[in-house]
Amino acid sequence: MFSKSPNPSTFFNPASQVAHLALIACPGAEELTQLVDSHLVAWAREVGIDKETFQIGCDCPRFQSGDAKGLVTESVRGDDIYLVCDPGNYSLTYNLFGNENHMSPDDHFANLKRLIQAVAGRAHRVTVIMPSLYGGRQHRRIARESLDCAVALQELQAMGVSNIITFDAHDPRMMNAVPLMSFDNVMPTYQVLKTLLHRMPELSFDKDSFIVISPDEGAISRNMYFSSVLGCNLGMFYKRRDYTRVVNGRNPIVAHEYLGESVEGKTVFIADDIIASGESMLEVARELRKRGAKHIIANATFPLFTSGLAKFDKAVEDGTLTAVLGTNLTYRQPELLSRPWYFDVDCSKYTAYFVAAINHDMSVSSIIDPIKKIEALLGSRK
């Protein structure tokens, strides 16, 4: 169904629409929501529907005490609501007792729940688009620990949310916490490959010159998919940890051990879900460089760079790293977007497909598995 561009007449047929479509951007998710909205508006106009926007205004103002509330500025009665939330946008601030506070994922999730409350009982249906899943890093219990992501998903279900769309979940098995709710975990593989080939058209995926490497055992599935669709070989690192010590709540990494064939003279592609401080990714890149890798390309769905960009600038300068790909599914520092070694992957059209399809109760399985589009992309280069 989606191997080519979507048919607007299918997406905006009033006879098959669940209800009037409305987008709400939680504070911090305005950029992605506006891009999604622009695709929906363009598709609507192609079939003669003159629509300026599908967005509905909202706000989450705070009282002087620090308490907050959610409000929407238009009627949503009977609407099919799509709430977009970016829990990783740390650039937003609020003032509390004279101190400027940066919003944490907890603040963003609280705002999401406030806006759900604001439309509760009025909207026909509520879908949450949360590319970076709240609490996703705390996905399992090892000792006496909380299960933040599971509880958050159950909260959303209890509030009447019908669908959740997330991207590259740290552990997609979190959907087991809400087995009766629609939960789609989406991988932007096609968008990443399309951007990579656009920025590096000379790249060859031949087995003798290209290899995919998983940075750890947790990322093996996403890297296995890349290697399978590209028809190249796969290697991996595993993290050897010191289980006698706990540092910042985790057993410290002693070394990254490599399992796989030689990378000498090859271009290496490494895919992970998040670049936080980037230490692990850079350590893997240095290990690969020692083993003779020619080019090293890193990919992370959520390019947070919590420790700044200086370490990556140096890695590119000394030849340890060639390029980094990240998506626009979360907030990116303006400084990052200006770096020549950073390739920004636009996933807004991909997200708009989901919104339009769900709004018409259409199957999304072909969107989730874009193998035909990847085959067409690779075939066009032969």
Side-chain angles (χ1 to χ4, degrees), residues 166-183:
T166 191
F167 284 76
D168 200 354
H170 193 66
D171 189 339
R173 290 174 296 183
M174 288 313 307
M175 68 178 70
N176 294 339
V178 284
L180 301 181
M181 183 169 65
S182 173
F183 183 105

Side-chain angles (χ1 to χ4, degrees), residues 244-274:
T244 65
R245 297 187 298 134
V246 176
V247 178
N248 294 327
R250 305 184 72 180
N251 301 108
I253 298 170
V254 176
H256 289 82
E257 303 288 355
Y258 177 64
L259 298 173
E261 65 179 39
S262 172
V263 298
E264 188 170 357
K266 296 181 181 179
T267 296
V268 178
F269 181 83
I270 313 166
D272 211 347
D273 57 338
I274 296 173

